[in-house]
Amino acid sequence: MASDPIAHYARRDFMRIAGSGLAALAVAARAHVAVAQTAGSPLKIGMVGAGREGGALGRLFVKAGHPVMFSSRHPEELKGFVAGLGSLAQAGTVDQAISFGDIVVIAIPYTAMEQIGKAHAGDLARKVLVIDVSNPIARRDGEDLVKWVSEQGGPGLVTAKWLPGAHIVRAFNAIGSGRLLELAHRPGEPVGVPIAGDEPKAIAVAHSLIREIGFEPVLVGGLAMGRHLVPGTPLGGEHSPAEIRKIAGSLH
Ligand SMILES: NC(=O)c1ccc[n+]([C@@H]2O[C@H](COP(=O)([O-])OP(=O)(O)OC[C@H]3O[C@@H](n4cnc5c(N)ncnc54)[C@H](OP(=O)(O)O)[C@@H]3O)[C@@H](O)[C@H]2O)c1
Protein backbone atom coordinates (compact mmCIF):
# COMPACT_ATOMS: atom_id res chain seq x y z
CA MET A 1 0.00 0.00 0.00
CA ALA A 2 2.69 2.46 0.97
CA SER A 3 4.44 1.78 -2.35
CA ASP A 4 1.41 2.97 -4.32
CA PRO A 5 -0.35 5.77 -2.49
CA ILE A 6 -2.48 6.71 -5.49
CA ALA A 7 -3.94 3.22 -5.63
CA HIS A 8 -4.58 3.41 -1.93
CA TYR A 9 -6.47 6.67 -2.38
CA ALA A 10 -8.47 5.62 -5.36
CA ARG A 11 -9.11 1.96 -4.60
CA ARG A 12 -12.42 1.86 -2.84
CA ASP A 13 -14.28 4.50 -4.80
CA PHE A 14 -12.66 3.49 -8.06
CA MET A 15 -13.71 -0.13 -7.65
CA ARG A 16 -17.17 1.03 -6.75
CA ILE A 17 -17.57 3.15 -9.83
CA ALA A 18 -15.41 1.36 -12.38
CA GLY A 19 -18.25 -0.69 -13.75
CA SER A 20 -21.01 1.79 -13.51
CA GLY A 21 -19.70 5.27 -14.22
CA LEU A 22 -20.23 8.62 -12.56
CA ALA A 23 -23.81 8.06 -11.55
CA ALA A 24 -22.70 5.36 -9.14
CA LEU A 25 -20.17 7.69 -7.56
CA ALA A 26 -22.86 10.28 -7.06
CA VAL A 27 -24.96 7.64 -5.35
CA ALA A 28 -21.99 6.60 -3.23
CA ALA A 29 -21.37 10.20 -2.25
CA ARG A 30 -25.02 10.68 -1.35
CA ALA A 31 -24.86 7.66 0.85
CA HIS A 32 -21.80 9.08 2.63
CA VAL A 33 -19.90 5.94 1.81
CA ALA A 34 -16.55 5.95 3.53
CA VAL A 35 -13.56 6.42 1.27
CA ALA A 36 -10.08 5.16 1.83
CA GLN A 37 -8.32 6.53 4.86
CA THR A 38 -4.95 7.97 4.09
CA ALA A 39 -2.81 7.41 7.15
CA GLY A 40 0.61 6.27 6.06
CA SER A 41 -0.02 7.07 2.41
CA PRO A 42 1.06 10.62 1.76
CA LEU A 43 0.63 12.01 -1.73
CA LYS A 44 3.06 14.55 -3.10
CA ILE A 45 1.12 17.63 -4.08
CA GLY A 46 2.35 20.32 -6.45
CA MET A 47 0.65 23.68 -6.06
CA VAL A 48 0.57 25.84 -9.19
CA GLY A 49 -0.42 29.12 -7.61
CA ALA A 50 0.42 29.72 -3.98
CA GLY A 51 -1.50 32.94 -3.48
CA ARG A 52 -4.52 33.34 -1.25
CA GLU A 53 -6.44 30.23 -2.31
CA GLY A 54 -3.49 28.02 -3.29
CA GLY A 55 -1.63 28.99 -0.14
CA ALA A 56 -4.58 28.18 2.13
CA LEU A 57 -5.37 24.88 0.41
CA GLY A 58 -1.73 23.83 0.42
CA ARG A 59 -1.55 24.59 4.12
CA LEU A 60 -4.45 22.17 4.67
CA PHE A 61 -2.69 19.46 2.64
CA VAL A 62 0.44 19.90 4.76
CA LYS A 63 -1.65 19.73 7.93
CA ALA A 64 -3.04 16.44 6.65
CA GLY A 65 0.48 15.05 6.33
CA HIS A 66 1.22 15.47 2.63
CA PRO A 67 4.47 16.80 1.20
CA VAL A 68 3.57 19.97 -0.71
CA MET A 69 5.61 22.04 -3.12
CA PHE A 70 4.26 25.57 -3.41
CA SER A 71 5.28 27.31 -6.60
CA SER A 72 5.78 30.79 -7.86
CA ARG A 73 7.46 32.47 -10.77
CA HIS A 74 9.56 33.92 -7.94
CA PRO A 75 9.96 30.96 -5.58
CA GLU A 76 12.40 32.79 -3.34
CA GLU A 77 9.44 34.93 -2.23
CA LEU A 78 7.77 31.83 -0.76
CA LYS A 79 10.65 30.90 1.51
CA GLY A 80 9.24 32.54 4.64
CA PHE A 81 5.81 31.06 4.01
CA VAL A 82 7.00 27.48 3.60
CA ALA A 83 9.43 27.78 6.51
CA GLY A 84 6.41 28.43 8.74
CA LEU A 85 4.71 25.24 7.58
CA GLY A 86 7.42 22.81 8.61
CA SER A 87 9.38 20.12 6.84
CA LEU A 88 6.59 18.88 4.57
CA ALA A 89 6.43 22.21 2.74
CA GLN A 90 8.88 23.49 0.18
CA ALA A 91 8.99 26.15 -2.50
CA GLY A 92 9.88 25.75 -6.14
CA THR A 93 9.25 26.92 -9.65
CA VAL A 94 6.09 25.98 -11.53
CA ASP A 95 8.08 23.35 -13.47
CA GLN A 96 9.42 21.87 -10.25
CA ALA A 97 6.01 21.75 -8.57
CA ILE A 98 4.44 19.98 -11.54
CA SER A 99 7.28 17.43 -11.65
CA PHE A 100 7.07 16.95 -7.89
CA GLY A 101 3.36 16.30 -7.57
CA ASP A 102 1.60 12.97 -7.73
CA ILE A 103 -1.30 15.34 -8.06
CA VAL A 104 -1.30 18.99 -9.08
CA VAL A 105 -3.58 21.75 -7.82
CA ILE A 106 -3.95 24.82 -10.03
CA ALA A 107 -5.06 28.04 -8.33
CA ILE A 108 -4.06 30.86 -10.66
CA PRO A 109 -5.82 33.68 -12.50
CA TYR A 110 -7.77 32.02 -15.30
CA THR A 111 -5.92 34.13 -17.88
CA ALA A 112 -2.75 32.15 -17.03
CA MET A 113 -4.33 28.73 -17.57
CA GLU A 114 -3.83 28.56 -21.33
CA GLN A 115 -0.12 29.31 -20.90
CA ILE A 116 0.20 26.62 -18.22
CA GLY A 117 -1.34 24.18 -20.70
CA LYS A 118 1.00 25.22 -23.52
CA ALA A 119 4.03 24.73 -21.31
CA HIS A 120 2.99 21.70 -19.24
CA ALA A 121 0.08 19.78 -20.81
CA GLY A 122 2.17 16.65 -21.37
CA ASP A 123 3.38 16.50 -17.76
CA LEU A 124 -0.07 17.31 -16.39
CA ALA A 125 -1.65 14.54 -18.46
CA ARG A 126 0.54 12.03 -16.62
CA LYS A 127 -0.89 13.00 -13.20
CA VAL A 128 -3.72 10.95 -11.80
CA LEU A 129 -5.48 14.14 -10.76
CA VAL A 130 -5.31 17.84 -11.57
CA ILE A 131 -7.54 19.91 -9.32
CA ASP A 132 -8.70 23.10 -11.02
CA VAL A 133 -9.55 25.72 -8.42
CA SER A 134 -9.36 28.63 -10.88
CA ASN A 135 -12.20 30.79 -12.20
CA PRO A 136 -12.68 33.33 -14.95
CA ILE A 137 -13.57 36.54 -13.12
CA ALA A 138 -14.52 39.69 -15.04
CA ARG A 139 -12.92 42.24 -12.73
CA ARG A 140 -9.58 40.42 -12.84
CA ASP A 141 -9.57 38.58 -16.17
CA GLY A 142 -11.78 40.89 -18.27
CA GLU A 143 -15.33 40.67 -19.59
CA ASP A 144 -14.17 39.32 -22.93
CA LEU A 145 -12.51 36.23 -21.42
CA VAL A 146 -15.51 35.54 -19.19
CA LYS A 147 -17.85 35.79 -22.20
CA TRP A 148 -15.63 33.59 -24.34
CA VAL A 149 -15.31 30.92 -21.62
CA SER A 150 -19.07 30.92 -21.21
CA GLU A 151 -19.57 30.49 -24.97
CA GLN A 152 -17.22 27.48 -24.87
CA GLY A 153 -19.38 25.80 -22.21
CA GLY A 154 -17.76 27.15 -19.06
CA PRO A 155 -14.49 26.80 -17.20
CA GLY A 156 -14.61 23.00 -16.79
CA LEU A 157 -14.63 22.41 -20.54
CA VAL A 158 -12.20 25.24 -21.24
CA THR A 159 -9.66 23.98 -18.69
CA ALA A 160 -9.95 20.54 -20.31
CA LYS A 161 -9.35 22.10 -23.72
CA TRP A 162 -6.29 24.01 -22.48
CA LEU A 163 -4.86 21.03 -20.54
CA PRO A 164 -5.52 18.21 -23.05
CA GLY A 165 -5.35 14.75 -21.53
CA ALA A 166 -5.29 15.97 -17.93
CA HIS A 167 -7.55 14.21 -15.43
CA ILE A 168 -9.28 17.31 -14.14
CA VAL A 169 -11.61 17.78 -11.23
CA ARG A 170 -12.90 21.24 -10.43
CA ALA A 171 -13.15 21.84 -6.69
CA PHE A 172 -12.93 24.59 -4.05
CA ASN A 173 -13.74 27.17 -6.72
CA ALA A 174 -16.06 29.25 -4.62
CA ILE A 175 -15.04 28.84 -1.00
CA GLY A 176 -13.15 31.96 0.05
CA SER A 177 -9.51 31.51 0.99
CA GLY A 178 -10.05 33.42 4.21
CA ARG A 179 -12.55 30.82 5.39
CA LEU A 180 -10.85 27.57 4.40
CA LEU A 181 -8.80 27.01 7.54
CA GLU A 182 -11.72 27.88 9.80
CA LEU A 183 -14.21 25.67 7.95
CA ALA A 184 -11.97 22.60 7.66
CA HIS A 185 -12.96 19.84 10.10
CA ARG A 186 -15.62 22.06 11.64
CA PRO A 187 -17.57 20.33 14.42
CA GLY A 188 -20.85 18.70 13.39
CA GLU A 189 -21.80 18.55 9.76
CA PRO A 190 -18.89 19.19 7.39
CA VAL A 191 -18.99 21.96 4.82
CA GLY A 192 -19.75 20.58 1.36
CA VAL A 193 -17.44 21.07 -1.60
CA PRO A 194 -19.15 20.74 -4.98
CA ILE A 195 -16.87 19.00 -7.45
CA ALA A 196 -17.14 18.30 -11.17
CA GLY A 197 -15.15 15.86 -13.24
CA ASP A 198 -15.35 13.21 -15.90
CA GLU A 199 -12.83 10.60 -14.78
CA PRO A 200 -13.80 8.14 -12.06
CA LYS A 201 -10.28 7.55 -10.77
CA ALA A 202 -9.46 11.26 -10.56
CA ILE A 203 -12.79 11.88 -8.85
CA ALA A 204 -12.12 9.10 -6.37
CA VAL A 205 -8.71 10.51 -5.44
CA ALA A 206 -10.16 14.03 -5.13
CA HIS A 207 -12.95 12.65 -3.00
CA SER A 208 -10.55 11.07 -0.53
CA LEU A 209 -8.29 14.10 -0.37
CA ILE A 210 -11.13 16.56 0.19
CA ARG A 211 -12.54 14.46 3.00
CA GLU A 212 -9.14 14.14 4.53
CA ILE A 213 -8.70 17.90 4.82
CA GLY A 214 -12.04 18.26 6.52
CA PHE A 215 -14.75 18.84 3.90
CA GLU A 216 -17.41 16.68 2.28
CA PRO A 217 -17.11 16.42 -1.52
CA VAL A 218 -20.33 16.36 -3.51
CA LEU A 219 -20.06 15.35 -7.16
CA VAL A 220 -22.44 17.55 -9.11
CA GLY A 221 -21.64 16.11 -12.53
CA GLY A 222 -19.12 16.08 -15.33
CA LEU A 223 -16.75 18.89 -16.26
CA ALA A 224 -19.51 20.64 -18.19
CA MET A 225 -21.14 21.25 -14.81
CA GLY A 226 -17.94 23.08 -13.84
CA ARG A 227 -19.62 26.21 -15.19
CA HIS A 228 -21.72 26.23 -12.02
CA LEU A 229 -18.66 26.08 -9.77
CA VAL A 230 -17.74 29.74 -9.77
CA PRO A 231 -18.33 32.50 -7.23
CA GLY A 232 -21.63 34.30 -7.39
CA THR A 233 -23.65 31.32 -8.62
CA PRO A 234 -26.08 29.27 -6.51
CA LEU A 235 -23.40 26.70 -5.65
CA GLY A 236 -20.92 29.39 -4.64
CA GLY A 237 -20.16 30.04 -1.00
CA GLU A 238 -20.63 27.79 2.00
CA HIS A 239 -23.28 25.07 1.91
CA SER A 240 -23.96 21.80 3.64
CA PRO A 241 -23.66 18.68 1.46
CA ALA A 242 -27.46 18.34 1.44
CA GLU A 243 -27.88 21.94 0.27
CA ILE A 244 -25.38 21.34 -2.54
CA ARG A 245 -27.27 18.25 -3.69
CA LYS A 246 -30.53 20.18 -3.67
CA ILE A 247 -29.10 23.14 -5.57
CA ALA A 248 -27.28 20.86 -8.04
CA GLY A 249 -30.51 18.99 -8.70
CA SER A 250 -32.11 22.21 -9.94
CA LEU A 251 -29.27 23.06 -12.33
CA HIS A 252 -28.80 21.93 -15.88
N1 LIG B 1 -9.10 33.93 -3.24
C1 LIG B 1 -10.15 33.18 -3.08
O1 LIG B 1 -10.88 33.27 -2.07
C2 LIG B 1 -10.50 32.13 -4.14
C3 LIG B 1 -11.48 31.16 -3.83
C4 LIG B 1 -11.77 30.17 -4.77
C5 LIG B 1 -11.11 30.17 -6.00
N2 LIG B 1 -10.19 31.13 -6.27
C6 LIG B 1 -9.54 31.11 -7.59
O2 LIG B 1 -8.18 30.74 -7.41
C7 LIG B 1 -7.37 31.43 -8.37
C8 LIG B 1 -6.28 32.17 -7.62
O3 LIG B 1 -6.90 33.17 -6.82
P1 LIG B 1 -6.11 33.83 -5.60
O4 LIG B 1 -7.08 34.70 -4.92
O5 LIG B 1 -5.37 32.78 -4.85
O6 LIG B 1 -5.06 34.74 -6.40
P2 LIG B 1 -3.72 35.38 -5.87
O7 LIG B 1 -3.70 35.48 -4.41
O8 LIG B 1 -3.54 36.61 -6.70
O9 LIG B 1 -2.61 34.29 -6.31
C9 LIG B 1 -2.41 34.03 -7.67
C10 LIG B 1 -1.34 32.96 -7.79
O10 LIG B 1 -1.25 32.61 -9.16
C11 LIG B 1 0.11 32.59 -9.53
N3 LIG B 1 0.24 32.95 -10.94
C12 LIG B 1 -0.24 34.05 -11.56
N4 LIG B 1 0.08 34.03 -12.86
C13 LIG B 1 0.77 32.88 -13.06
C14 LIG B 1 1.37 32.28 -14.20
N5 LIG B 1 1.33 32.87 -15.40
N6 LIG B 1 2.00 31.11 -14.03
C15 LIG B 1 2.06 30.51 -12.83
N7 LIG B 1 1.52 31.03 -11.70
C16 LIG B 1 0.88 32.20 -11.83
C17 LIG B 1 0.79 33.62 -8.64
O11 LIG B 1 2.14 33.26 -8.53
P3 LIG B 1 3.36 34.27 -8.68
O12 LIG B 1 4.03 34.26 -7.34
O13 LIG B 1 4.20 33.67 -9.74
O14 LIG B 1 2.81 35.64 -9.03
C18 LIG B 1 0.03 33.41 -7.33
O15 LIG B 1 0.62 32.36 -6.59
C19 LIG B 1 -8.29 32.33 -9.16
O16 LIG B 1 -8.62 31.75 -10.40
C20 LIG B 1 -9.51 32.46 -8.27
O17 LIG B 1 -10.71 32.70 -8.99
C21 LIG B 1 -9.86 32.10 -5.38
Side-chain angles (χ1 to χ4, degrees), residues 78-114:
L78 293 174
K79 278 187 180 154
F81 173 69
V82 297
L85 296 182
S87 61
L88 287 176
Q90 57 184 303
T93 62
V94 173
D95 282 27
Q96 288 170 331
I98 291 173
S99 302
F100 173 84
D102 296 317
I103 75 166
V104 171
V105 178
I106 306 184
I108 57 176
Y110 208 71
T111 41
M113 188 69 81
E114 185 174 18

CSV table of all heavy atoms in Angstrom, one decimal, residues 78-114:
chain,number,residue,atom,x,y,z
A,78,LEU,N,8.6,32.7,-1.6
A,78,LEU,CA,7.8,31.8,-0.8
A,78,LEU,C,8.5,31.2,0.4
A,78,LEU,O,8.0,30.5,1.2
A,78,LEU,CB,7.2,30.7,-1.6
A,78,LEU,CG,6.2,31.1,-2.7
A,78,LEU,CD1,5.9,29.9,-3.6
A,78,LEU,CD2,4.9,31.6,-2.1
A,79,LYS,N,9.8,31.6,0.5
A,79,LYS,CA,10.6,30.9,1.5
A,79,LYS,C,10.1,31.1,2.9
A,79,LYS,O,10.1,30.1,3.7
A,79,LYS,CB,12.1,31.4,1.4
A,79,LYS,CG,12.9,30.7,0.3
A,79,LYS,CD,14.3,31.0,0.3
A,79,LYS,CE,15.0,30.3,-0.8
A,79,LYS,NZ,16.2,30.9,-1.3
A,80,GLY,N,9.7,32.3,3.3
A,80,GLY,CA,9.2,32.5,4.6
A,80,GLY,C,8.0,31.8,4.9
A,80,GLY,O,7.8,31.2,6.0
A,81,PHE,N,7.1,31.8,3.9
A,81,PHE,CA,5.8,31.1,4.0
A,81,PHE,C,6.0,29.6,4.2
A,81,PHE,O,5.5,29.0,5.2
A,81,PHE,CB,5.0,31.3,2.7
A,81,PHE,CG,3.7,30.5,2.7
A,81,PHE,CD1,2.6,30.8,3.5
A,81,PHE,CD2,3.6,29.5,1.7
A,81,PHE,CE1,1.5,30.0,3.5
A,81,PHE,CE2,2.4,28.7,1.7
A,81,PHE,CZ,1.3,29.0,2.5
A,82,VAL,N,6.8,28.9,3.4
A,82,VAL,CA,7.0,27.5,3.6
A,82,VAL,C,7.8,27.2,4.9
A,82,VAL,O,7.5,26.1,5.5
A,82,VAL,CB,7.7,26.8,2.4
A,82,VAL,CG1,6.8,26.9,1.1
A,82,VAL,CG2,9.1,27.3,2.1
A,83,ALA,N,8.7,28.0,5.3
A,83,ALA,CA,9.4,27.8,6.5
A,83,ALA,C,8.5,27.7,7.7
A,83,ALA,O,8.7,26.9,8.6
A,83,ALA,CB,10.5,28.9,6.7
A,84,GLY,N,7.4,28.5,7.6
A,84,GLY,CA,6.4,28.4,8.7
A,84,GLY,C,5.5,27.2,8.7
A,84,GLY,O,4.8,27.0,9.7
A,85,LEU,N,5.6,26.4,7.7
A,85,LEU,CA,4.7,25.2,7.6
A,85,LEU,C,5.4,23.9,8.0
A,85,LEU,O,4.8,22.9,8.0
A,85,LEU,CB,4.1,25.1,6.2
A,85,LEU,CG,3.2,26.2,5.7
A,85,LEU,CD1,2.7,25.9,4.3
A,85,LEU,CD2,2.1,26.5,6.6
A,86,GLY,N,6.7,24.0,8.2
A,86,GLY,CA,7.4,22.8,8.6
A,86,GLY,C,8.0,22.0,7.5
A,86,GLY,O,8.0,22.5,6.3
A,87,SER,N,8.5,20.8,7.8
A,87,SER,CA,9.4,20.1,6.8
A,87,SER,C,8.6,19.5,5.7
A,87,SER,O,9.2,19.1,4.7
A,87,SER,CB,10.1,19.0,7.6
A,87,SER,OG,9.2,18.1,8.1
A,88,LEU,N,7.3,19.4,5.7
A,88,LEU,CA,6.6,18.9,4.6
A,88,LEU,C,6.4,19.9,3.4
A,88,LEU,O,6.0,19.5,2.3
A,88,LEU,CB,5.2,18.4,5.0
A,88,LEU,CG,5.2,17.1,5.8
A,88,LEU,CD1,3.8,16.8,6.3
A,88,LEU,CD2,5.7,15.9,5.0
A,89,ALA,N,6.7,21.2,3.7
A,89,ALA,CA,6.4,22.2,2.7
A,89,ALA,C,7.7,22.7,2.1
A,89,ALA,O,8.7,22.8,2.8
A,89,ALA,CB,5.7,23.4,3.4
A,90,GLN,N,7.7,22.9,0.8
A,90,GLN,CA,8.9,23.5,0.2
A,90,GLN,C,8.4,24.4,-1.0
A,90,GLN,O,7.2,24.3,-1.4
A,90,GLN,CB,9.8,22.4,-0.3
A,90,GLN,CG,9.2,21.4,-1.3
A,90,GLN,CD,10.2,20.3,-1.7
A,90,GLN,OE1,11.3,20.6,-2.2
A,90,GLN,NE2,9.8,19.1,-1.4
A,91,ALA,N,9.3,25.2,-1.4
A,91,ALA,CA,9.0,26.1,-2.5
A,91,ALA,C,9.8,25.8,-3.7
A,91,ALA,O,10.9,25.3,-3.6
A,91,ALA,CB,9.3,27.6,-2.1
A,92,GLY,N,9.2,26.0,-4.9
A,92,GLY,CA,9.9,25.8,-6.1
A,92,GLY,C,9.3,26.6,-7.3
A,92,GLY,O,8.4,27.3,-7.1
A,93,THR,N,9.8,26.3,-8.5
A,93,THR,CA,9.3,26.9,-9.7
A,93,THR,C,8.0,26.1,-10.1
A,93,THR,O,7.7,25.0,-9.6
A,93,THR,CB,10.3,26.9,-10.8
A,93,THR,OG1,10.5,25.5,-11.1
A,93,THR,CG2,11.6,27.5,-10.4
A,94,VAL,N,7.3,26.7,-11.0
A,94,VAL,CA,6.1,26.0,-11.5
A,94,VAL,C,6.5,24.6,-12.1
A,94,VAL,O,5.9,23.6,-11.8
A,94,VAL,CB,5.3,26.9,-12.6
A,94,VAL,CG1,4.2,26.1,-13.2
A,94,VAL,CG2,4.8,28.1,-11.9
A,95,ASP,N,7.6,24.6,-12.9
A,95,ASP,CA,8.1,23.4,-13.5
A,95,ASP,C,8.4,22.3,-12.4
A,95,ASP,O,8.0,21.2,-12.5
A,95,ASP,CB,9.4,23.6,-14.2
A,95,ASP,CG,9.3,24.2,-15.5
A,95,ASP,OD1,8.3,24.9,-15.7
A,95,ASP,OD2,10.2,24.0,-16.4
A,96,GLN,N,9.0,22.8,-11.3
A,96,GLN,CA,9.4,21.9,-10.3
A,96,GLN,C,8.2,21.3,-9.5
A,96,GLN,O,8.1,20.2,-9.2
A,96,GLN,CB,10.4,22.6,-9.3
A,96,GLN,CG,11.7,22.8,-9.8
A,96,GLN,CD,12.6,23.7,-8.9
A,96,GLN,OE1,12.1,24.6,-8.2
A,96,GLN,NE2,13.9,23.5,-8.9
A,97,ALA,N,7.2,22.2,-9.3
A,97,ALA,CA,6.0,21.8,-8.6
A,97,ALA,C,5.2,20.7,-9.4
A,97,ALA,O,4.7,19.7,-8.8
A,97,ALA,CB,5.1,22.9,-8.2
A,98,ILE,N,5.2,20.9,-10.7
A,98,ILE,CA,4.4,20.0,-11.5
A,98,ILE,C,5.2,18.6,-11.6
A,98,ILE,O,4.6,17.6,-11.5
A,98,ILE,CB,4.2,20.6,-13.0
A,98,ILE,CG1,3.2,21.7,-12.9
A,98,ILE,CG2,3.7,19.5,-13.9
A,98,ILE,CD1,3.0,22.5,-14.1
A,99,SER,N,6.5,18.7,-11.7
A,99,SER,CA,7.3,17.4,-11.7
A,99,SER,C,7.1,16.7,-10.3
A,99,SER,O,7.0,15.5,-10.3
A,99,SER,CB,8.8,17.7,-11.8
A,99,SER,OG,9.0,18.4,-13.0
A,100,PHE,N,7.1,17.5,-9.3
A,100,PHE,CA,7.1,17.0,-7.9
A,100,PHE,C,5.8,16.2,-7.6
A,100,PHE,O,5.8,15.2,-6.9
A,100,PHE,CB,7.2,18.1,-6.9
A,100,PHE,CG,7.1,17.8,-5.5
A,100,PHE,CD1,8.2,17.3,-4.7
A,100,PHE,CD2,5.9,18.0,-4.8
A,100,PHE,CE1,8.0,17.0,-3.4
A,100,PHE,CE2,5.7,17.7,-3.5
A,100,PHE,CZ,6.8,17.2,-2.8
A,101,GLY,N,4.7,16.8,-8.1
A,101,GLY,CA,3.4,16.3,-7.6
A,101,GLY,C,2.9,15.0,-8.1
A,101,GLY,O,3.0,14.7,-9.3
A,102,ASP,N,2.4,14.1,-7.3
A,102,ASP,CA,1.6,13.0,-7.7
A,102,ASP,C,0.3,13.6,-8.3
A,102,ASP,O,-0.3,13.1,-9.2
A,102,ASP,CB,1.3,12.0,-6.6
A,102,ASP,CG,2.5,11.4,-6.0
A,102,ASP,OD1,3.4,10.9,-6.8
A,102,ASP,OD2,2.6,11.3,-4.8
A,103,ILE,N,-0.2,14.6,-7.6
A,103,ILE,CA,-1.3,15.3,-8.1
A,103,ILE,C,-0.9,16.8,-8.1
A,103,ILE,O,0.0,17.2,-7.4
A,103,ILE,CB,-2.6,15.1,-7.2
A,103,ILE,CG1,-2.5,15.9,-5.9
A,103,ILE,CG2,-2.9,13.7,-7.0
A,103,ILE,CD1,-3.9,15.9,-5.3
A,104,VAL,N,-1.6,17.6,-8.9
A,104,VAL,CA,-1.3,19.0,-9.1
A,104,VAL,C,-2.6,19.8,-8.8
A,104,VAL,O,-3.7,19.4,-9.3
A,104,VAL,CB,-0.7,19.3,-10.5
A,104,VAL,CG1,-0.6,20.8,-10.7
A,104,VAL,CG2,0.6,18.6,-10.7
A,105,VAL,N,-2.4,20.9,-8.1
A,105,VAL,CA,-3.6,21.7,-7.8
A,105,VAL,C,-3.3,23.1,-8.5
A,105,VAL,O,-2.2,23.6,-8.3
A,105,VAL,CB,-3.8,21.9,-6.3
A,105,VAL,CG1,-4.9,22.9,-6.0
A,105,VAL,CG2,-4.0,20.6,-5.6
A,106,ILE,N,-4.2,23.6,-9.3
A,106,ILE,CA,-4.0,24.8,-10.0
A,106,ILE,C,-4.9,25.9,-9.5
A,106,ILE,O,-6.1,25.8,-9.6
A,106,ILE,CB,-4.2,24.6,-11.6
A,106,ILE,CG1,-3.3,23.5,-12.1
A,106,ILE,CG2,-3.8,25.9,-12.3
A,106,ILE,CD1,-3.3,23.3,-13.6
A,107,ALA,N,-4.3,26.9,-8.9
A,107,ALA,CA,-5.1,28.0,-8.3
A,107,ALA,C,-4.4,29.3,-8.8
A,107,ALA,O,-3.6,30.0,-8.0
A,107,ALA,CB,-5.1,27.9,-6.8
A,108,ILE,N,-4.7,29.7,-10.0
A,108,ILE,CA,-4.1,30.9,-10.7
A,108,ILE,C,-5.1,31.7,-11.3
A,108,ILE,O,-6.3,31.2,-11.6
A,108,ILE,CB,-3.0,30.4,-11.7
A,108,ILE,CG1,-3.7,29.5,-12.8
A,108,ILE,CG2,-1.8,29.7,-11.1
A,108,ILE,CD1,-2.8,29.1,-13.9
A,109,PRO,N,-4.9,32.9,-11.7
A,109,PRO,CA,-5.8,33.7,-12.5
A,109,PRO,C,-6.1,32.9,-13.8
A,109,PRO,O,-5.2,32.3,-14.4
A,109,PRO,CB,-5.1,35.0,-12.8
A,109,PRO,CG,-4.1,35.1,-11.7
A,109,PRO,CD,-3.7,33.7,-11.4
A,110,TYR,N,-7.4,32.9,-14.2
A,110,TYR,CA,-7.8,32.0,-15.3
A,110,TYR,C,-7.0,32.4,-16.6
A,110,TYR,O,-6.8,31.6,-17.5
A,110,TYR,CB,-9.3,32.0,-15.5
A,110,TYR,CG,-9.8,30.8,-16.1
A,110,TYR,CD1,-9.8,29.6,-15.4
A,110,TYR,CD2,-10.3,30.7,-17.4
A,110,TYR,CE1,-10.3,28.4,-15.9
A,110,TYR,CE2,-10.7,29.6,-18.0
A,110,TYR,CZ,-10.7,28.4,-17.2
A,110,TYR,OH,-11.2,27.2,-17.8
A,111,THR,N,-6.7,33.7,-16.7
A,111,THR,CA,-5.9,34.1,-17.9
A,111,THR,C,-4.6,33.4,-18.0
A,111,THR,O,-4.1,33.3,-19.1
A,111,THR,CB,-5.6,35.6,-17.8
A,111,THR,OG1,-5.2,35.9,-16.4
A,111,THR,CG2,-6.8,36.5,-18.2
A,112,ALA,N,-4.1,32.8,-16.9
A,112,ALA,CA,-2.8,32.1,-17.0
A,112,ALA,C,-2.9,30.7,-17.4
A,112,ALA,O,-1.9,30.0,-17.7
A,112,ALA,CB,-2.0,32.3,-15.7
A,113,MET,N,-4.1,30.2,-17.4
A,113,MET,CA,-4.3,28.7,-17.6
A,113,MET,C,-3.9,28.2,-19.0
A,113,MET,O,-3.3,27.2,-19.1
A,113,MET,CB,-5.8,28.4,-17.3
A,113,MET,CG,-6.1,26.9,-17.3
A,113,MET,SD,-5.5,26.1,-15.9
A,113,MET,CE,-6.7,26.5,-14.6
A,114,GLU,N,-4.2,29.0,-20.0
A,114,GLU,CA,-3.8,28.6,-21.3
A,114,GLU,C,-2.3,28.4,-21.4
A,114,GLU,O,-1.8,27.4,-22.0
A,114,GLU,CB,-4.3,29.6,-22.4
A,114,GLU,CG,-4.1,29.1,-23.8
A,114,GLU,CD,-4.7,30.0,-24.8
A,114,GLU,OE1,-5.1,31.1,-24.5
A,114,GLU,OE2,-4.9,29.5,-26.0
